[in-house]
Amino acid sequence: MLVEFETGRVICTSVDTGRVHDFKLLKRSRLPFVPSQLCLADKGYQGFGKRHRGACLPTNKPRNQPLPEAGKQHNRALARLRVRVEHVIRRFKIFRIFSGRYRNRTRRFGLRLNLIAGLLNYELAHAA
């Protein structure tokens, strides 16, 4: 799921049948990323930094050593920015599409996900 940082609007969603990792979905979607575009990602997208120069990923802890203070500060700053994306995911979970096992027709999961994204974007655009 791609979310616009300023407004919290859902830009696009990507789904696949079965259990597929998020980074694999991103590679399959072949979304064009502008080199100057900053992309905030979580630890699930560790290889994304090699594909996109503007990727901002959390710092990993070195093996058998504590995380340096600079790495901790970077991770905190990234978490403060990513909280907007997590709030959008929370809004999807209110519709119970991500919060539990999906028990309806799997062919229609992507359609329902896009419909919910459209509802949430409409709600954002027409908020009082």
Side-chain angles (χ1 to χ4, degrees), residues 59 67-77:
T59 305
L67 186 64
E69 190 61 34
K72 288 181 184 180
Q73 289 176 353
H74 170 74
N75 289 348
R76 280 191 205 109

Side-chain angles (χ1 to χ4, degrees), residues 1 13-30 41-49 51 57 82:
M1 173 180 346
T13 60
S14 181
V15 295
D16 202 354
T17 57
R19 296 175 69 171
V20 180
H21 196 272
D22 293 340
F23 187 52
K24 188 178 267 190
L25 276 175
L26 181 67
K27 286 191 285 189
R28 285 184 189 166
S29 69
R30 298 184 182 189
D42 59 2
K43 282 196 171 189
Y45 296 90
Q46 285 182 356
F48 189 50
R51 293 177 167 265
L57 301 166
R82 271 196 45 80

